[in-house]
Amino acid sequence: MQSVVRVRMRVGNLPHELTDFVGRRRELAKVRRLLSESRLVTLTGLGGVGKTRLALRVAADLQEDFEDGVWLVELGALAEPHLLADTVAAALGLRERVARSPLPLLTDFLADRRALIVLDNCEHLVVEVAELAQAVLSACPEVRILATSREALAAEGETVLRVPPLTVPDPDESSSLRGLGQYEGVVMFEARARSAVPGFSLTADNQATVAEVCQRLEGLPLAIELAAARLRALSLEQILVRLTDRYRLLTTGTRVAPSRQQTLRLCIDWSHDLLGDRERALWRRLAVFAGGFELDAAAEVGGFADGELVDVLGSLVDKSILIREETGEVARYRMLETIREYGLEKLTEAGESELLRQRHQDWCERLTLRAEAEWIGNRQLEWLARFDRTRADLRAALEFSVTAAAEPDPALHMVAAIYPYWVSRGLYSEGRYWIDRALARADGAPAGSRVMALCLGSMLASMQGDVPAAQAWTEAACALTHPEDDPAVFAFAVSATGYLATFSGDFARATECFEESLLTLRTEGGALARVGTLVGLAMASGLAGDSQRAIACHEEVIALTASHGESMYRSYSLSMLGLAVWEQGDTTRAEQLIEEGVRLTRLVDDPLGLAMCLEILAWIAADQPERAAMLMGASAWVGEAAGSPTIVVRDLFGHHDRVVGESTDAMGRAAFEAAFARGRALGVDAAIAYALGDQAPAETSASAPTKRLTRRQRQVAELVAQGMTNKAISQQLVISQRTAEGHVENVLTKLGFTTRAQITAWVVGGAGQEA
């Protein structure tokens, strides 16, 4: 039996470098060595010394060593310690559909994976990050963490490396033009100066001035970047004079020499002082954005007219206060955290902090309300991407709205508007967190807004299987609303009751609630509520055995969403409709529907929906046992990679075990397991191509393992060799049976084997000692 080549693409989320990386050869080598010896390495140092760039370069260099990905988690904008684990899980692309803490989700997902996680800007969350790192590293033997922080985490097993400034010439020694190339600070200044002034180079005439500028800046990368950017407007000599004057001020009195922290502050102060009033104002106002921002956001929050804004924004980019990034066709801007902190200080000094935070909240509220109005429409994919980019700012606006805003309404409006995004990204726990906090200060808010929030919280809890919480919220919503108050709000509460009944197993009651709700929502309320209720009715009808009613509902959802250009709900209904018509014997139409669903799940980035589609396509392909086995393997891997290995549809309809049995009988157990393993070895793109028939996976001989086993996989292999079942292995290692099954499948895949007997022979023969 042959096995396919692993075609899974390099996984991870590291950003592309926007500027050349300069120097740091010693530090790069040292960090790589430390990561080989220690599973938690923290890079410390003051802001602007280059911790993040060093960490990212190390991470990029090590990508080939971590088969399960190198992942960047940016924490600088995270103000909610409670959401730390959620943020890490989201960065890894995990989506969970059951009610449990995100930390067990993380540790379960990473238990058998070899991955590097970069936690950037941890200084304001050192205790929480230390606790999370401890939990992850204790449970996940092949995971390593590289953190950056202005102070150590003080976690057990942590190795700390203080990042030094770039090297600069000694002021007491003269250097030749050729000799200056050995100093990293000078090399960086020349590179950044060339970006500011094309054609700039070190010459015999300017080398002494460049050397002295770099000495004054003490090799701090951020300070060098800011100074070099000034060459657009100042000469080298003018830059040096201004730096010299400011140093003289700093060293007056008892301070003999400035510390590096004072040096960085000096450079940012100096850069700020050289700006005009409009540039200073925009800098401090834009610092209110927790993440990056786009032109429309800068216009609404910054308070500048469009024509004026573009000029001032461009000037801040030229001076390295803002970093311009391309996001598809949209230009996006961000500040380094050190620059942003300085801007926030100036915002407070100007007495504008409260005003700008309010303005920022108002902008976020308007943004989310526009998204809500257009969610069932052809801009849905744009809104998904926009919310992905602005997630940190949505959190900041919600935090302000639940703690400092004068009125409770904005918080309720925003949680209602963001709800479909939370659902699409599997952020159920985060959604419930913000809804709960919004409701906690909702006294005085209109009853309709409170009812909507209660219903949405109930539906999130229902989808996670947390029936008690869902019931409490539903009862509270129903107590606040009556048909005569607002028919659409009342109908939505009835729909939420239907979801609760569905996930409680009372399908007859659920069907009754959804049908009652639709009587109103077909004419009242928005398309989003109507589509959500139709999806609920289709689900409840199918579970109750009324396939004709379920089919009619899914067809109505597809017609409605297709006419509006919507993708998310349509992808779900396409797959469920495909399943239903297949069960009625129409295989051709079923395949067409589900293949269209596959394409849409890829568009909306819904791995759990994709896993469901792959699983159903496997059932449809039961008369092609090898294809069925590979599709089931691909479905299992895609689901596990999203952090939710149990595909809901598998439990609801029960075809999985039947198709496994039929395929095993047709192929033989060894051949089935080999095909299943080949499916698991496909990446997302290859699995989609295989499912759609666009290409067949390439095959090759499996004469050697594709990867070395992890420590946990070696443990599992040894227990298999002892004759233990998956259940016994799970009890021995204190892990779930599902996790044990996944470990065994991974061992088979990595070793190119098809049976447990081959694992036993491999271990007994001594190969396991060398892996």
Side-chain angles (χ1 to χ4, degrees):
M1 176 61 64
Q2 291 183 313
S3 177
V4 299
V5 174
R6 277 187 179 267
V7 291
R8 194 173 298 157
M9 300 294 287
R10 179 181 293 171
V11 290
N13 66 341
L14 293 184
H16 296 294
E17 291 182 330
L18 299 177
T19 55
D20 293 337
F21 187 85
V22 175
R24 300 290 197 193
R25 283 183 297 177
R26 289 182 298 277
E27 289 80 12
L28 287 168
K30 192 165 187 178
V31 178
R32 285 195 292 264
R33 179 178 61 77
L34 292 176
L35 276 172
S36 71
E37 300 169 350
S38 173
R39 296 178 55 221
L40 173 60
V41 176
T42 303
L43 306 182
T44 64
L46 59 91
V49 81
K51 300 183 296 296
T52 297
R53 284 300 301 269
L54 176 59
L56 291 178
R57 172 47 66 99
V58 170
D61 290 345
L62 293 177
Q63 284 184 101
E64 296 298 331
D65 295 341
F66 292 92
E67 63 190 83
D68 295 304
V70 176
W71 304 91
L72 170 64
V73 187
E74 296 175 325
L75 300 177
L78 180 63
E80 285 291 331
H82 177 83
L83 295 177
L84 174 61
D86 298 81
T87 301
V88 178
L92 270 63
L94 306 190
R95 311 190 185 192
E96 184 55 79
R97 287 184 172 173
V98 296
R100 62 170 174 166
S101 165
L103 187 54
L105 167 65
L106 264 178
T107 54
D108 192 31
F109 173 74
L110 293 168
D112 187 37
R113 285 175 163 80
R114 181 171 176 80
L116 173 64
I117 301 174
V118 181
L119 302 177
D120 190 34
N121 287 315
C122 302
E123 50 273 353
H124 59 306
L125 300 167
V126 287
V127 174
E128 292 80 10
V129 171
E131 292 172 351
L132 180 137
Q134 202 88 36
V136 169
L137 297 178
S138 297
C140 313
E142 298 299 327
V143 171
R144 277 172 163 68
I145 293 176
L146 177 60
T148 74
S149 176
R150 296 184 192 179
E151 62 177 290
L153 304 180
E156 184 179 345
E158 177 187 27
T159 298
V160 179
L161 174 66
R162 186 164 187 84
V163 178
L166 300 175
T167 56
V168 296
D170 188 324
D172 296 328
E173 296 179 6
S174 61
S175 299
S176 67
L177 185 59
R178 180 173 298 176
L180 285 178
Q182 68 182 299
Y183 298 106
E184 297 165 332
V186 174
V187 174
M188 170 174 267
F189 185 92
E190 182 181 19
R192 301 302 182 257
R194 193 178 298 118
S195 296
V197 182
F200 179 91
S201 65
L202 284 175
T203 66
D205 293 333
N206 67 21
Q207 63 175 353
T209 307
V210 170
E212 191 170 355
V213 167
C214 293
Q215 292 161 4
R216 291 288 188 186
L217 299 177
E218 297 189 276
L220 289 170
L222 176 56
I224 290 172
E225 296 242 13
L226 291 172
R230 277 291 162 190
L231 283 173
R232 291 188 177 95
L234 301 174
S235 69
L236 271 172
E237 290 73 17
Q238 288 173 316
I239 290 173
L240 180 59
V241 167
R242 282 161 173 76
L243 285 174
T244 303
D245 289 344
R246 183 164 295 275
Y247 267 104
R248 193 172 294 120
L249 287 172
L250 279 176
T251 54
T252 299
T254 59
R255 290 177 292 182
V256 176
S259 70
R260 287 200 170 95
Q261 186 65 60
Q262 290 168 337
T263 300
L264 180 62
R265 179 72 186 201
L266 168 155
C267 195
I268 300 177
D269 277 339
W270 169 68
S271 194
H272 181 267
D273 291 347
L274 288 173
L275 297 176
D277 290 341
R278 296 184 310 162
E279 293 165 319
R280 294 177 192 171
L282 190 60
W283 177 353
R284 66 177 180 262
R285 292 174 187 176
L286 295 182
V288 78
F289 286 99
F293 54 88
E294 292 160 23
L295 193 61
D296 61 339
E300 292 192 45
V301 176
F304 280 67
D306 286 349
E308 184 181 29
L309 174 69
V310 173
D311 290 340
V312 181
L313 205 63
S315 178
L316 292 179
V317 171
D318 289 342
K319 296 172 175 65
S320 294
I321 304 304
L322 292 178
I323 298 171
R324 185 178 187 273
E325 300 173 330
E326 294 295 333
T327 307
E329 298 179 357
V330 180
R332 187 167 174 79
Y333 305 87
R334 67 178 175 88
M335 294 181 189
L336 293 176
E337 195 60 25
T338 303
I339 297 292
R340 179 172 177 256
E341 288 174 0
Y342 184 92
L344 290 174
E345 287 182 24
K346 293 299 181 183
L347 193 66
T348 300
E349 290 175 12
E352 296 178 338
S353 182
E354 198 70 17
L355 170 65
L356 265 293
R357 290 180 70 200
Q358 182 67 55
R359 201 183 284 176
H360 176 264
Q361 177 209 257
D362 294 344
W363 172 77
C364 285
E365 183 183 3
R366 289 192 296 271
L367 182 78
T368 58
L369 292 177
R370 288 200 303 271
E372 182 183 31
E374 298 179 357
W375 198 263
I376 304 298
N378 57 14
R379 293 195 63 203
Q380 185 185 74
L381 298 179
E382 294 177 38
W383 285 118
L384 278 167
R386 185 73 184 262
F387 277 14
D388 284 341
R389 296 193 300 268
T390 59
R391 188 173 167 200
D393 281 286
L394 297 179
R395 283 176 170 175
L398 284 168
E399 180 64 27
F400 178 78
S401 70
V402 298
T403 56
E407 300 293 335
D409 297 34
L412 294 172
H413 293 162
M414 282 191 286
V415 296
I418 302 171
Y419 167 81
Y421 170 74
W422 285 326
V423 171
S424 73
R425 292 297 184 248
L427 301 170
Y428 302 102
S429 296
E430 178 168 347
R432 289 176 63 181
Y433 171 79
W434 289 116
I435 289 171
D436 192 47
R437 293 192 66 189
L439 287 167
R441 71 167 312 241
D443 291 344
S449 296
R450 284 182 284 159
V451 169
M452 292 296 292
L454 286 164
C455 290
L456 296 172
S458 168
M459 283 158 43
L460 288 173
S462 292
M463 286 184 273
Q464 286 188 304
D466 189 354
V467 173
Q471 184 168 353
W473 273 354
T474 301
E475 290 174 353
C478 291
L480 279 174
T481 185
H482 304 282
E484 59 274 13
D485 296 335
D486 186 326
V489 171
F490 180 78
F492 197 73
V494 175
S495 181
T497 306
Y499 271 98
L500 172 62
T502 300
F503 287 92
S504 299
D506 189 349
F507 307 130
R509 170 66 174 152
T511 301
E512 178 185 326
C513 288
F514 288 130
E515 288 179 339
E516 178 187 347
S517 178
L518 279 171
L519 290 175
T520 300
L521 292 178
R522 290 190 191 281
T523 57
E524 304 272 354
L528 183 57
R530 178 180 166 192
V531 168
T533 301
L534 279 168
V535 168
L537 179 56
M539 183 190 303
S541 299
L543 291 169
D546 188 351
S547 58
Q548 290 300 328
R549 187 77 177 96
I551 287 173
C553 288
H554 284 306
E555 287 179 333
E556 185 175 353
V557 170
I558 292 168
L560 177 61
T561 53
S563 67
H564 286 76
E566 191 272 348
S567 301
M568 188 178 85
Y569 289 99
R570 182 156 47 113
S571 68
Y572 172 79
S573 279
L574 282 166
S575 60
M576 290 296 95
L577 178 59
L579 175 62
V581 299
W582 169 68
E583 289 177 326
Q584 292 190 333
D586 191 346
T587 300
T588 300
R589 187 185 178 206
E591 284 183 318
Q592 292 171 344
L593 289 166
I594 297 172
E595 286 174 0
E596 186 179 352
V598 166
R599 294 184 180 94
L600 287 179
T601 60
R602 191 57 165 150
L603 278 178
V604 300
D605 188 20
D606 179 10
L608 299 182
L610 173 60
M612 185 169 64
C613 288
L614 294 173
E615 179 76 18
I616 299 172
L617 284 174
W619 304 340
I620 294 175
D623 60 342
Q624 305 170 62
E626 183 177 9
R627 177 173 171 80
M630 286 190 64
L631 286 169
M632 282 190 280
S635 171
W637 182 82
V638 171
E640 289 171 18
S644 188
T646 301
I647 305 304
V648 174
V649 72
R650 188 178 298 167
D651 297 329
L652 295 181
F653 296 93
H655 296 293
H656 178 78
D657 291 343
R658 177 181 59 78
V659 174
V660 168
E662 291 176 357
S663 299
T664 302
D665 290 342
M667 302 172 67
R669 177 163 295 279
F672 174 83
E673 290 179 349
F676 188 92
R678 292 200 302 276
R680 285 184 60 88
L682 298 174
V684 172
D685 291 336
I688 290 174
Y690 182 64
L692 299 179
D694 293 340
Q695 66 181 48
E699 294 191 348
T700 187
S701 172
S703 60
T706 58
K707 294 286 183 183
R708 298 169 72 88
L709 297 189
T710 65
R711 185 171 63 183
R712 175 53 61 88
Q713 288 168 347
R714 290 197 297 272
Q715 285 180 310
V716 170
E718 290 165 0
L719 295 177
V720 168
Q722 294 173 27
M724 287 192 178
T725 64
N726 290 339
K727 183 177 181 180
I729 291 172
S730 70
Q731 293 171 345
Q732 175 75 19
L733 299 179
V734 196
I735 57 178
S736 70
Q737 186 171 337
R738 194 276 307 162
T739 300
E741 292 169 357
H743 287 326
V744 173
E745 290 172 357
N746 287 336
V747 170
L748 288 166
T749 299
K750 283 190 173 183
L751 298 178
F753 295 158
T754 58
T755 67
R756 299 168 79 95
Q758 289 174 296
I759 296 177
T760 300
W762 181 76
V763 172
V764 172
Q769 304 299 317
E770 302 170 5

